[in-house]
Amino acid sequence: MSLESQDGPDEPPTLSDARRLRALTHPVRIALIGKLVLHGPLTATEAGELIGESPTTCSFHLRQLAKYGFVEEAGGGSGRARPWRMTTIGLSVTAREDPESQLAEDALVRMVRERQLERYWTWLQTRASYPRRWRDAADDSAYVFYLTIEELEQLTEDLTAILMPLFRERMADPSRRPAGSVPVQLLLFSYPIAHPEAAAAEPGHEDAGTPG
């Protein structure tokens, strides 16, 4: 996840230390962030209605998110009627190399992905209720490529360059969302399914400089 600030072209904050990673790894906080990103500023009461939690619970977790710099008061209101907003529309998650941070990152990523995959299962269960054109436009594909590390890096950069402008503009500024548009989740997973050392030892991957 790497998205720019709502207030300008600055780079998104990088979430790297174990303390902040653990602070975000909570189902209610992840749910709150998801609703704030989609709907903009919300009070604890409004957020609670959206995620099925009490205003008291949401108020507590919003304050905790604010403590670690993820959300801030949007101005106006008081108490549970205070609206809250994201400080950014996304985060760049890159844990430090220490084991504690790596474990915290793994836990956070797992929680976020599980939530996203739950949406996918919901789509599979309910897609018959969608208009035919939306069903046909949705995609469900899997590919396996043989890539070098340089090619994988380039593929990631190319996909990011295509997708990020739409995300940044339309998430940060609702006026840029075309009439009839709805939130569409696109998950891209790219990861090796064989270890580089093992792949290098396979037949056909000998060093080109080795006499045959």
Side-chain angles (χ1 to χ4, degrees), residues 164-192:
M164 282 302 99
L166 274 177
F167 192 105
R168 287 171 172 159
E169 292 176 0
R170 296 185 182 182
M171 295 304 288
D173 184 358
S175 69
R176 291 180 176 269
R177 301 171 193 173
S181 65
V182 300
V184 173
Q185 177 174 277
L186 172 63
L187 299 178
L188 290 174
F189 299 125
S190 58
Y191 49 90

PDB file of all heavy atoms in Angstrom, residues 164-192:
ATOM      1  N   MET A 164      -2.283   3.644  -9.623  1.00  0.00           N
ATOM      2  CA  MET A 164      -2.257   4.651  -8.574  1.00  0.00           C
ATOM      3  C   MET A 164      -2.961   5.962  -8.917  1.00  0.00           C
ATOM      4  O   MET A 164      -3.633   6.535  -8.057  1.00  0.00           O
ATOM      5  CB  MET A 164      -0.821   4.934  -8.143  1.00  0.00           C
ATOM      6  CG  MET A 164      -0.235   3.889  -7.216  1.00  0.00           C
ATOM      7  SD  MET A 164      -1.185   3.662  -5.674  1.00  0.00           S
ATOM      8  CE  MET A 164      -2.148   2.206  -6.067  1.00  0.00           C
ATOM      9  N   PRO A 165      -2.849   6.473 -10.146  1.00  0.00           N
ATOM     10  CA  PRO A 165      -3.547   7.744 -10.435  1.00  0.00           C
ATOM     11  C   PRO A 165      -5.049   7.665 -10.181  1.00  0.00           C
ATOM     12  O   PRO A 165      -5.636   8.581  -9.598  1.00  0.00           O
ATOM     13  CB  PRO A 165      -3.232   7.982 -11.917  1.00  0.00           C
ATOM     14  CG  PRO A 165      -1.913   7.319 -12.130  1.00  0.00           C
ATOM     15  CD  PRO A 165      -1.986   6.080 -11.276  1.00  0.00           C
ATOM     16  N   LEU A 166      -5.695   6.580 -10.599  1.00  0.00           N
ATOM     17  CA  LEU A 166      -7.133   6.426 -10.357  1.00  0.00           C
ATOM     18  C   LEU A 166      -7.425   6.362  -8.866  1.00  0.00           C
ATOM     19  O   LEU A 166      -8.371   6.971  -8.370  1.00  0.00           O
ATOM     20  CB  LEU A 166      -7.647   5.147 -11.023  1.00  0.00           C
ATOM     21  CG  LEU A 166      -8.061   5.224 -12.488  1.00  0.00           C
ATOM     22  CD1 LEU A 166      -8.480   3.845 -12.983  1.00  0.00           C
ATOM     23  CD2 LEU A 166      -9.207   6.217 -12.685  1.00  0.00           C
ATOM     24  N   PHE A 167      -6.613   5.617  -8.142  1.00  0.00           N
ATOM     25  CA  PHE A 167      -6.841   5.466  -6.707  1.00  0.00           C
ATOM     26  C   PHE A 167      -6.669   6.791  -5.991  1.00  0.00           C
ATOM     27  O   PHE A 167      -7.518   7.221  -5.222  1.00  0.00           O
ATOM     28  CB  PHE A 167      -5.872   4.423  -6.145  1.00  0.00           C
ATOM     29  CG  PHE A 167      -6.207   3.993  -4.741  1.00  0.00           C
ATOM     30  CD1 PHE A 167      -6.782   2.764  -4.499  1.00  0.00           C
ATOM     31  CD2 PHE A 167      -5.951   4.820  -3.664  1.00  0.00           C
ATOM     32  CE1 PHE A 167      -7.100   2.356  -3.209  1.00  0.00           C
ATOM     33  CE2 PHE A 167      -6.255   4.434  -2.372  1.00  0.00           C
ATOM     34  CZ  PHE A 167      -6.834   3.200  -2.148  1.00  0.00           C
ATOM     35  N   ARG A 168      -5.552   7.465  -6.252  1.00  0.00           N
ATOM     36  CA  ARG A 168      -5.252   8.716  -5.555  1.00  0.00           C
ATOM     37  C   ARG A 168      -6.313   9.767  -5.808  1.00  0.00           C
ATOM     38  O   ARG A 168      -6.840  10.388  -4.883  1.00  0.00           O
ATOM     39  CB  ARG A 168      -3.887   9.237  -6.009  1.00  0.00           C
ATOM     40  CG  ARG A 168      -2.709   8.450  -5.456  1.00  0.00           C
ATOM     41  CD  ARG A 168      -1.434   8.889  -6.119  1.00  0.00           C
ATOM     42  NE  ARG A 168      -0.257   8.291  -5.493  1.00  0.00           N
ATOM     43  CZ  ARG A 168       0.912   8.177  -6.089  1.00  0.00           C
ATOM     44  NH1 ARG A 168       1.060   8.609  -7.326  1.00  0.00           N
ATOM     45  NH2 ARG A 168       1.933   7.648  -5.450  1.00  0.00           N
ATOM     46  N   GLU A 169      -6.643   9.977  -7.058  1.00  0.00           N
ATOM     47  CA  GLU A 169      -7.578  11.047  -7.407  1.00  0.00           C
ATOM     48  C   GLU A 169      -8.969  10.794  -6.854  1.00  0.00           C
ATOM     49  O   GLU A 169      -9.592  11.673  -6.261  1.00  0.00           O
ATOM     50  CB  GLU A 169      -7.647  11.198  -8.928  1.00  0.00           C
ATOM     51  CG  GLU A 169      -6.355  11.731  -9.553  1.00  0.00           C
ATOM     52  CD  GLU A 169      -6.446  11.755 -11.066  1.00  0.00           C
ATOM     53  OE1 GLU A 169      -7.512  11.355 -11.599  1.00  0.00           O
ATOM     54  OE2 GLU A 169      -5.467  12.159 -11.713  1.00  0.00           O
ATOM     55  N   ARG A 170      -9.466   9.588  -7.019  1.00  0.00           N
ATOM     56  CA  ARG A 170     -10.867   9.324  -6.700  1.00  0.00           C
ATOM     57  C   ARG A 170     -11.099   8.990  -5.225  1.00  0.00           C
ATOM     58  O   ARG A 170     -12.214   9.150  -4.739  1.00  0.00           O
ATOM     59  CB  ARG A 170     -11.391   8.211  -7.593  1.00  0.00           C
ATOM     60  CG  ARG A 170     -11.382   8.639  -9.055  1.00  0.00           C
ATOM     61  CD  ARG A 170     -12.009   7.608  -9.959  1.00  0.00           C
ATOM     62  NE  ARG A 170     -11.935   8.048 -11.344  1.00  0.00           N
ATOM     63  CZ  ARG A 170     -12.445   7.370 -12.367  1.00  0.00           C
ATOM     64  NH1 ARG A 170     -13.079   6.222 -12.154  1.00  0.00           N
ATOM     65  NH2 ARG A 170     -12.336   7.828 -13.593  1.00  0.00           N
ATOM     66  N   MET A 171     -10.063   8.533  -4.536  1.00  0.00           N
ATOM     67  CA  MET A 171     -10.223   8.321  -3.111  1.00  0.00           C
ATOM     68  C   MET A 171     -10.085   9.629  -2.358  1.00  0.00           C
ATOM     69  O   MET A 171     -10.805   9.885  -1.401  1.00  0.00           O
ATOM     70  CB  MET A 171      -9.195   7.308  -2.598  1.00  0.00           C
ATOM     71  CG  MET A 171      -9.379   5.914  -3.153  1.00  0.00           C
ATOM     72  SD  MET A 171     -11.023   5.216  -2.876  1.00  0.00           S
ATOM     73  CE  MET A 171     -10.951   4.895  -1.118  1.00  0.00           C
ATOM     74  N   ALA A 172      -9.153  10.474  -2.771  1.00  0.00           N
ATOM     75  CA  ALA A 172      -8.918  11.733  -2.063  1.00  0.00           C
ATOM     76  C   ALA A 172      -9.969  12.785  -2.378  1.00  0.00           C
ATOM     77  O   ALA A 172     -10.268  13.638  -1.553  1.00  0.00           O
ATOM     78  CB  ALA A 172      -7.525  12.271  -2.419  1.00  0.00           C
ATOM     79  N   ASP A 173     -10.543  12.727  -3.584  1.00  0.00           N
ATOM     80  CA  ASP A 173     -11.493  13.752  -4.013  1.00  0.00           C
ATOM     81  C   ASP A 173     -12.751  13.104  -4.589  1.00  0.00           C
ATOM     82  O   ASP A 173     -12.774  12.708  -5.756  1.00  0.00           O
ATOM     83  CB  ASP A 173     -10.830  14.651  -5.076  1.00  0.00           C
ATOM     84  CG  ASP A 173     -11.715  15.809  -5.502  1.00  0.00           C
ATOM     85  OD1 ASP A 173     -12.862  15.903  -4.996  1.00  0.00           O
ATOM     86  OD2 ASP A 173     -11.263  16.627  -6.324  1.00  0.00           O
ATOM     87  N   PRO A 174     -13.797  12.963  -3.783  1.00  0.00           N
ATOM     88  CA  PRO A 174     -15.028  12.311  -4.258  1.00  0.00           C
ATOM     89  C   PRO A 174     -15.636  12.957  -5.500  1.00  0.00           C
ATOM     90  O   PRO A 174     -16.345  12.293  -6.255  1.00  0.00           O
ATOM     91  CB  PRO A 174     -15.972  12.445  -3.057  1.00  0.00           C
ATOM     92  CG  PRO A 174     -15.073  12.534  -1.872  1.00  0.00           C
ATOM     93  CD  PRO A 174     -13.869  13.312  -2.354  1.00  0.00           C
ATOM     94  N   SER A 175     -15.354  14.244  -5.738  1.00  0.00           N
ATOM     95  CA  SER A 175     -15.917  14.907  -6.908  1.00  0.00           C
ATOM     96  C   SER A 175     -15.367  14.331  -8.208  1.00  0.00           C
ATOM     97  O   SER A 175     -15.942  14.543  -9.274  1.00  0.00           O
ATOM     98  CB  SER A 175     -15.640  16.413  -6.849  1.00  0.00           C
ATOM     99  OG  SER A 175     -14.265  16.698  -7.026  1.00  0.00           O
ATOM    100  N   ARG A 176     -14.244  13.606  -8.129  1.00  0.00           N
ATOM    101  CA  ARG A 176     -13.653  13.002  -9.318  1.00  0.00           C
ATOM    102  C   ARG A 176     -14.253  11.628  -9.639  1.00  0.00           C
ATOM    103  O   ARG A 176     -13.902  11.023 -10.649  1.00  0.00           O
ATOM    104  CB  ARG A 176     -12.136  12.871  -9.149  1.00  0.00           C
ATOM    105  CG  ARG A 176     -11.390  14.205  -9.138  1.00  0.00           C
ATOM    106  CD  ARG A 176      -9.900  13.987  -8.972  1.00  0.00           C
ATOM    107  NE  ARG A 176      -9.156  15.225  -9.046  1.00  0.00           N
ATOM    108  CZ  ARG A 176      -8.651  15.744 -10.158  1.00  0.00           C
ATOM    109  NH1 ARG A 176      -8.836  15.105 -11.308  1.00  0.00           N
ATOM    110  NH2 ARG A 176      -7.979  16.873 -10.143  1.00  0.00           N
ATOM    111  N   ARG A 177     -15.130  11.140  -8.773  1.00  0.00           N
ATOM    112  CA  ARG A 177     -15.736   9.833  -9.013  1.00  0.00           C
ATOM    113  C   ARG A 177     -16.887   9.982 -10.002  1.00  0.00           C
ATOM    114  O   ARG A 177     -17.838  10.711  -9.754  1.00  0.00           O
ATOM    115  CB  ARG A 177     -16.239   9.241  -7.695  1.00  0.00           C
ATOM    116  CG  ARG A 177     -15.136   9.064  -6.666  1.00  0.00           C
ATOM    117  CD  ARG A 177     -15.671   8.674  -5.298  1.00  0.00           C
ATOM    118  NE  ARG A 177     -14.636   8.813  -4.279  1.00  0.00           N
ATOM    119  CZ  ARG A 177     -14.843   8.663  -2.973  1.00  0.00           C
ATOM    120  NH1 ARG A 177     -16.070   8.377  -2.533  1.00  0.00           N
ATOM    121  NH2 ARG A 177     -13.839   8.813  -2.127  1.00  0.00           N
ATOM    122  N   PRO A 178     -16.836   9.303 -11.137  1.00  0.00           N
ATOM    123  CA  PRO A 178     -17.895   9.434 -12.135  1.00  0.00           C
ATOM    124  C   PRO A 178     -19.236   8.965 -11.606  1.00  0.00           C
ATOM    125  O   PRO A 178     -19.308   8.090 -10.740  1.00  0.00           O
ATOM    126  CB  PRO A 178     -17.408   8.532 -13.278  1.00  0.00           C
ATOM    127  CG  PRO A 178     -15.956   8.331 -13.043  1.00  0.00           C
ATOM    128  CD  PRO A 178     -15.770   8.390 -11.558  1.00  0.00           C
ATOM    129  N   ALA A 179     -20.299   9.522 -12.151  1.00  0.00           N
ATOM    130  CA  ALA A 179     -21.649   9.079 -11.797  1.00  0.00           C
ATOM    131  C   ALA A 179     -21.772   7.588 -12.109  1.00  0.00           C
ATOM    132  O   ALA A 179     -21.341   7.120 -13.164  1.00  0.00           O
ATOM    133  CB  ALA A 179     -22.684   9.878 -12.575  1.00  0.00           C
ATOM    134  N   GLY A 180     -22.351   6.850 -11.200  1.00  0.00           N
ATOM    135  CA  GLY A 180     -22.530   5.419 -11.400  1.00  0.00           C
ATOM    136  C   GLY A 180     -21.359   4.569 -10.953  1.00  0.00           C
ATOM    137  O   GLY A 180     -21.418   3.342 -11.043  1.00  0.00           O
ATOM    138  N   SER A 181     -20.291   5.197 -10.468  1.00  0.00           N
ATOM    139  CA  SER A 181     -19.135   4.421 -10.020  1.00  0.00           C
ATOM    140  C   SER A 181     -19.381   3.868  -8.629  1.00  0.00           C
ATOM    141  O   SER A 181     -20.102   4.447  -7.820  1.00  0.00           O
ATOM    142  CB  SER A 181     -17.869   5.291 -10.019  1.00  0.00           C
ATOM    143  OG  SER A 181     -17.968   6.335  -9.064  1.00  0.00           O
ATOM    144  N   VAL A 182     -18.799   2.711  -8.357  1.00  0.00           N
ATOM    145  CA  VAL A 182     -18.890   2.070  -7.045  1.00  0.00           C
ATOM    146  C   VAL A 182     -17.478   1.627  -6.647  1.00  0.00           C
ATOM    147  O   VAL A 182     -16.603   1.494  -7.500  1.00  0.00           O
ATOM    148  CB  VAL A 182     -19.836   0.855  -7.059  1.00  0.00           C
ATOM    149  CG1 VAL A 182     -21.253   1.259  -7.451  1.00  0.00           C
ATOM    150  CG2 VAL A 182     -19.311  -0.231  -8.010  1.00  0.00           C
ATOM    151  N   PRO A 183     -17.234   1.384  -5.368  1.00  0.00           N
ATOM    152  CA  PRO A 183     -15.913   0.875  -4.977  1.00  0.00           C
ATOM    153  C   PRO A 183     -15.662  -0.495  -5.599  1.00  0.00           C
ATOM    154  O   PRO A 183     -16.512  -1.388  -5.520  1.00  0.00           O
ATOM    155  CB  PRO A 183     -15.996   0.784  -3.452  1.00  0.00           C
ATOM    156  CG  PRO A 183     -17.147   1.657  -3.067  1.00  0.00           C
ATOM    157  CD  PRO A 183     -18.111   1.596  -4.199  1.00  0.00           C
ATOM    158  N   VAL A 184     -14.527  -0.656  -6.239  1.00  0.00           N
ATOM    159  CA  VAL A 184     -14.131  -1.921  -6.852  1.00  0.00           C
ATOM    160  C   VAL A 184     -12.805  -2.338  -6.223  1.00  0.00           C
ATOM    161  O   VAL A 184     -11.851  -1.576  -6.228  1.00  0.00           O
ATOM    162  CB  VAL A 184     -13.978  -1.796  -8.375  1.00  0.00           C
ATOM    163  CG1 VAL A 184     -13.389  -3.076  -8.969  1.00  0.00           C
ATOM    164  CG2 VAL A 184     -15.319  -1.484  -9.029  1.00  0.00           C
ATOM    165  N   GLN A 185     -12.757  -3.526  -5.673  1.00  0.00           N
ATOM    166  CA  GLN A 185     -11.534  -4.025  -5.049  1.00  0.00           C
ATOM    167  C   GLN A 185     -10.738  -4.823  -6.067  1.00  0.00           C
ATOM    168  O   GLN A 185     -11.254  -5.754  -6.690  1.00  0.00           O
ATOM    169  CB  GLN A 185     -11.879  -4.911  -3.850  1.00  0.00           C
ATOM    170  CG  GLN A 185     -10.664  -5.531  -3.177  1.00  0.00           C
ATOM    171  CD  GLN A 185     -11.055  -6.270  -1.906  1.00  0.00           C
ATOM    172  OE1 GLN A 185     -11.195  -5.681  -0.848  1.00  0.00           O
ATOM    173  NE2 GLN A 185     -11.245  -7.580  -2.016  1.00  0.00           N
ATOM    174  N   LEU A 186      -9.475  -4.452  -6.242  1.00  0.00           N
ATOM    175  CA  LEU A 186      -8.567  -5.177  -7.128  1.00  0.00           C
ATOM    176  C   LEU A 186      -7.393  -5.651  -6.290  1.00  0.00           C
ATOM    177  O   LEU A 186      -6.642  -4.840  -5.746  1.00  0.00           O
ATOM    178  CB  LEU A 186      -8.078  -4.265  -8.255  1.00  0.00           C
ATOM    179  CG  LEU A 186      -6.981  -4.827  -9.164  1.00  0.00           C
ATOM    180  CD1 LEU A 186      -7.480  -6.057  -9.920  1.00  0.00           C
ATOM    181  CD2 LEU A 186      -6.502  -3.772 -10.147  1.00  0.00           C
ATOM    182  N   LEU A 187      -7.245  -6.956  -6.146  1.00  0.00           N
ATOM    183  CA  LEU A 187      -6.134  -7.521  -5.394  1.00  0.00           C
ATOM    184  C   LEU A 187      -5.101  -8.063  -6.368  1.00  0.00           C
ATOM    185  O   LEU A 187      -5.422  -8.854  -7.252  1.00  0.00           O
ATOM    186  CB  LEU A 187      -6.615  -8.658  -4.489  1.00  0.00           C
ATOM    187  CG  LEU A 187      -7.639  -8.299  -3.413  1.00  0.00           C
ATOM    188  CD1 LEU A 187      -8.033  -9.549  -2.634  1.00  0.00           C
ATOM    189  CD2 LEU A 187      -7.098  -7.235  -2.476  1.00  0.00           C
ATOM    190  N   LEU A 188      -3.866  -7.641  -6.203  1.00  0.00           N
ATOM    191  CA  LEU A 188      -2.767  -8.138  -7.022  1.00  0.00           C
ATOM    192  C   LEU A 188      -1.757  -8.816  -6.105  1.00  0.00           C
ATOM    193  O   LEU A 188      -1.179  -8.174  -5.229  1.00  0.00           O
ATOM    194  CB  LEU A 188      -2.085  -6.988  -7.772  1.00  0.00           C
ATOM    195  CG  LEU A 188      -2.875  -6.315  -8.893  1.00  0.00           C
ATOM    196  CD1 LEU A 188      -2.126  -5.112  -9.417  1.00  0.00           C
ATOM    197  CD2 LEU A 188      -3.142  -7.304 -10.020  1.00  0.00           C
ATOM    198  N   PHE A 189      -1.554 -10.103  -6.290  1.00  0.00           N
ATOM    199  CA  PHE A 189      -0.558 -10.831  -5.521  1.00  0.00           C
ATOM    200  C   PHE A 189       0.531 -11.284  -6.488  1.00  0.00           C
ATOM    201  O   PHE A 189       0.243 -12.005  -7.442  1.00  0.00           O
ATOM    202  CB  PHE A 189      -1.172 -12.063  -4.845  1.00  0.00           C
ATOM    203  CG  PHE A 189      -2.266 -11.748  -3.874  1.00  0.00           C
ATOM    204  CD1 PHE A 189      -3.516 -12.332  -4.001  1.00  0.00           C
ATOM    205  CD2 PHE A 189      -2.047 -10.879  -2.820  1.00  0.00           C
ATOM    206  CE1 PHE A 189      -4.528 -12.058  -3.094  1.00  0.00           C
ATOM    207  CE2 PHE A 189      -3.052 -10.597  -1.907  1.00  0.00           C
ATOM    208  CZ  PHE A 189      -4.295 -11.181  -2.043  1.00  0.00           C
ATOM    209  N   SER A 190       1.733 -10.882  -6.259  1.00  0.00           N
ATOM    210  CA  SER A 190       2.856 -11.366  -7.073  1.00  0.00           C
ATOM    211  C   SER A 190       3.955 -11.825  -6.123  1.00  0.00           C
ATOM    212  O   SER A 190       4.463 -11.039  -5.333  1.00  0.00           O
ATOM    213  CB  SER A 190       3.357 -10.277  -8.016  1.00  0.00           C
ATOM    214  OG  SER A 190       3.767  -9.126  -7.309  1.00  0.00           O
ATOM    215  N   TYR A 191       4.288 -13.114  -6.192  1.00  0.00           N
ATOM    216  CA  TYR A 191       5.277 -13.662  -5.273  1.00  0.00           C
ATOM    217  C   TYR A 191       5.854 -14.935  -5.884  1.00  0.00           C
ATOM    218  O   TYR A 191       5.185 -15.666  -6.624  1.00  0.00           O
ATOM    219  CB  TYR A 191       4.637 -13.978  -3.909  1.00  0.00           C
ATOM    220  CG  TYR A 191       3.368 -14.777  -4.002  1.00  0.00           C
ATOM    221  CD1 TYR A 191       3.388 -16.170  -3.989  1.00  0.00           C
ATOM    222  CD2 TYR A 191       2.135 -14.133  -4.127  1.00  0.00           C
ATOM    223  CE1 TYR A 191       2.225 -16.899  -4.094  1.00  0.00           C
ATOM    224  CE2 TYR A 191       0.959 -14.860  -4.224  1.00  0.00           C
ATOM    225  CZ  TYR A 191       1.008 -16.247  -4.207  1.00  0.00           C
ATOM    226  OH  TYR A 191      -0.161 -16.958  -4.322  1.00  0.00           O
ATOM    227  N   PRO A 192       7.124 -15.215  -5.604  1.00  0.00           N
ATOM    228  CA  PRO A 192       7.732 -16.437  -6.141  1.00  0.00           C
ATOM    229  C   PRO A 192       7.160 -17.666  -5.460  1.00  0.00           C
ATOM    230  O   PRO A 192       6.873 -17.653  -4.269  1.00  0.00           O
ATOM    231  CB  PRO A 192       9.227 -16.266  -5.820  1.00  0.00           C
ATOM    232  CG  PRO A 192       9.266 -15.323  -4.659  1.00  0.00           C
ATOM    233  CD  PRO A 192       8.098 -14.408  -4.823  1.00  0.00           C
TER     234      PRO A 192
END
